[in-house]
Amino acid sequence: MAGVPTSLVAATGLVGGYGVARWTKKRPLGGVALAAAGTVAAWGWQQKAGTKAAVALSGAYVAAFAGSHPLAKKIGAWPSVFAVAGGVALASWVVADRRG
């Protein structure tokens, strides 16, 4: 997994978690996908940028998940998920991935 950008893992976790929950109609299954990708991303953040960065980006990941719910009421579910996934991906790239 060393070659996979953490920004991609995090964004995929948010989008994939929602997709799994929606398509299977089993929210806990979507939560498993979300948590699994978040765990992989957090490990990558810690390896690339250190513990403080990993904690901050993990917090952003969880906040994006939580924030997507009220945002969805304003702009729709999928646009909300893509917006927060993009935000987390950008933060992840800036903090961890661009360092190489």
Side-chain angles (χ1 to χ4, degrees):
M1 291 270 332
V4 178
T6 59
S7 54
L8 179 62
V9 174
T12 300
L14 288 161
V15 173
Y18 176 69
V20 167
R22 181 163 180 146
W23 291 317
T24 65
K25 298 187 181 357
K26 297 186 188 310
R27 291 178 76 183
L29 195 54
V32 169
L34 178 81
T39 300
V40 171
W43 180 83
W45 294 325
Q46 197 278 327
Q47 296 298 310
K48 291 181 177 184
T51 301
K52 286 182 183 180
V55 169
L57 288 168
S58 294
Y61 185 80
V62 172
F65 166 71
S68 70
H69 292 81
L71 183 59
K73 293 180 185 202
K74 295 182 185 288
I75 66 172
W78 279 111
S80 172
V81 170
F82 287 128
V84 300
V88 170
L90 178 61
S92 179
W93 180 81
V94 167
V95 173
D97 291 339
R98 74 177 171 161
R99 297 177 184 205

